[in-house]
Amino acid sequence: MEFTIPANLRGIKLSQWQKYINVYDKNKDDENATEFLNKKVLEIFCNVKLSEVDKIGLSVFEETLVHLSSVLNEKPELVHKFSLKGTDDVVVEFGLIPNFDKMSYGEFIDLEKYMFDNDNYHKAMAVLYRPIKFKSKDKYLIHDYKGTEYMADVMRDAPLDAALGARVFFYRLATKLGNYTMAYTLKQLQETNQNKQDKDSVKNGETIKQYLLSLEKMLEESQKLQNYQYINV
């Protein structure tokens, strides 16, 4: 059988990542769920029907898991622009907020609300990235903010490198702005996820061992940011 394997984070949609996080959360405490979760990795990220996964050769199955682990462990960089295909195959280019110094209070509040909410992270992306209405060389203007619902569903298809890169960037921005409320929230999230990691070790070296999303050691040594860990095989 043939199926497509994403080459990098750009080849994975935010909605796929959200879907796997949701599946993992529901099954992570089940010691017998390892095989199921491995199959879900291929189903979700490679668009293989769950009923067809068993037909994949053992070596291909294992190599694919290793590759996906490598992809999801990529350190995301900030992405300023990306394109998505809309209705009637019209390609729309989206741009990151060009000047965060001019970000409105409403934009920041919505970012603070959704930035670390995995189920609603597409709403945060709808704040950060909006359609470009004018550009000249490396500079561009984006459409005015109309609320998270305006582009939220569209952002489910946003590339994962842009989504995760923006999360790292926003943390740094919040820290630099001295937003202590945000900083405290991130610290609590980090401690919660660290506790999950400690409990969720998997004995089989050829299976998914850690939670896809493990927030960095935030707030350590002021603004120091550690590497992300997604999954290891």
Side-chain angles (χ1 to χ4, degrees), residues 108 112 170 173-184 219:
F108 186 80
E112 187 177 36
F170 186 71
L173 175 66
T175 304
K176 186 176 294 186
L177 290 175
N179 188 304
Y180 299 108
T181 300
M182 169 67 83
Y184 177 78
L219 306 174

Side-chain angles (χ1 to χ4, degrees), residues 17-204:
W17 180 80
Q18 289 174 308
K19 185 176 181 180
Y20 184 78
I21 290 292
N22 186 267
V23 171
Y24 185 91
D25 280 339
K26 292 179 179 178
N27 294 275
K28 65 180 184 296
D29 295 325
D30 185 352
E31 296 180 355
N32 300 316
T34 299
E35 181 180 351
F36 171 72
L37 289 174
N38 287 343
K39 290 181 179 181
K40 293 298 289 186
V41 169
L42 271 75
E43 178 196 34
I44 294 171
F45 295 116
C46 300
N47 295 310
V48 180
K49 291 182 179 180
L50 193 61
S51 60
E52 299 290 314
V53 172
D54 286 340
K55 298 179 181 179
I56 299 174
L58 177 60
S59 61
V60 174
F61 182 87
E62 293 178 344
E63 289 171 4
T64 302
L65 284 180
V66 171
H67 171 74
L68 289 173
S69 173
S70 176
V71 168
L72 290 163
N73 271 291
E74 293 176 11
K75 185 176 181 180
E77 301 292 338
L78 183 63
V79 175
H80 290 275
K81 292 180 287 185
F82 63 83
S83 297
L84 293 176
K85 185 178 292 187
T87 57
D88 300 325
D89 291 333
V90 176
V91 176
V92 179
E93 188 173 24
F94 291 83
L96 181 69
I97 295 176
N99 190 343
F100 277 85
D101 290 335
K102 295 182 179 180
M103 182 170 57
S104 69
Y105 177 74
E107 288 172 309
F108 186 80
I109 290 299
D110 286 341
L111 283 177
E112 187 177 36
K113 182 177 180 180
Y114 298 117
M115 181 57 72
F116 293 96
D117 179 352
N118 293 328
D119 290 337
N120 291 295
Y121 187 43
H122 54 288
K123 294 182 179 180
M125 288 292 288
V127 182
L128 289 167
Y129 291 91
R130 298 199 287 277
I132 294 175
K133 60 182 180 181
F134 173 81
K135 65 178 180 178
S136 176
K137 297 182 179 180
D138 294 332
K139 296 183 178 181
Y140 59 86
L141 295 175
I142 59 176
H143 283 276
D144 294 337
Y145 184 55
K146 298 181 180 180
T148 56
E149 299 301 327
Y150 180 59
M151 282 288 171
D153 286 340
V154 174
M155 283 299 157
R156 293 180 188 273
D157 290 335
L160 191 55
D161 62 334
L164 297 183
R167 178 173 276 186
V168 174
F169 175 79
F170 186 71
Y171 165 73
R172 289 173 173 163
L173 175 66
T175 304
K176 186 176 294 186
L177 290 175
N179 188 304
Y180 299 108
T181 300
M182 169 67 83
Y184 177 78
T185 300
L186 296 181
K187 183 177 181 181
Q188 295 300 107
L189 286 169
Q190 166 60 23
E191 291 175 351
T192 299
N193 279 278
Q194 187 61 53
N195 290 334
K196 289 180 181 179
Q197 279 188 13
D198 294 339
K199 296 178 181 178
D200 296 335
S201 60
V202 178
K203 296 179 180 179
N204 188 347

Side-chain angles (χ1 to χ4, degrees), residues 1-28:
M1 63 182 297
E2 295 182 356
F3 57 91
T4 301
I5 304 173
N8 47 43
L9 289 176
R10 177 53 62 97
I12 297 177
K13 295 179 180 179
L14 173 58
S15 59
Q16 292 175 301
W17 180 80
Q18 289 174 308
K19 185 176 181 180
Y20 184 78
I21 290 292
N22 186 267
V23 171
Y24 185 91
D25 280 339
K26 292 179 179 178
N27 294 275
K28 65 180 184 296

